[in-house]
Amino acid sequence: MNREQTCIDNASTHGVAKLGDLLRGALGLLSVASHGHDVTISDICIDSRLVRPGSLFVAVPGTKAHGITFARQAFERGAVAIVTDVANAPELDGLFIRVPDARVAAARLAA
């Protein structure tokens, strides 16, 4: 897969968005950790190898591994937060946003 298949450039599709606004609008979440709501999102990715500074990484289940397995890699590449449906996220420094279904969240964020 190439970048266009696994990442959405948020600025070209939605304009520049703050994490809190994006999550409230796309996912209906009413609150985001106070230290994360003002973070600017550059793009939304489901492939951790393509994350860059400013990305929102959505950790979806795959055929061989769940995306949450690559949380450390996503943060190292510059992800500002990770959206996941895994209840016990890895013990990493970074913002995790828990949702009931990561695939549904990815679709709504992409719309």
Side-chain angles (χ1 to χ4, degrees), residues 2-89:
N2 61 33
R3 183 163 179 70
E4 290 76 29
Q5 292 172 312
T6 59
C7 293
I8 295 168
D9 181 356
N10 194 60
S12 66
T13 57
H14 297 100
V16 175
K18 298 293 184 185
L19 179 61
D21 296 337
L22 186 63
L23 295 176
R24 275 189 295 277
L27 303 180
L29 297 178
L30 299 178
S31 66
V32 177
S34 61
H35 62 279
H37 71 280
D38 277 339
V39 173
T40 300
I41 301 298
S42 61
D43 58 358
I44 302 160
C45 294
I46 60 169
D47 185 334
S48 63
R49 296 170 294 187
L50 301 175
V51 166
R52 58 187 176 191
S55 294
L56 175 62
F57 176 57
V58 184
V60 298
T63 57
K64 295 182 181 177
H66 195 290
I68 199 65
T69 306
F70 306 103
R72 180 179 306 279
Q73 180 182 11
F75 281 134
E76 287 172 353
R77 290 180 171 269
V80 296
I82 296 177
V83 175
T84 183
D85 53 12
V86 173
N88 297 319

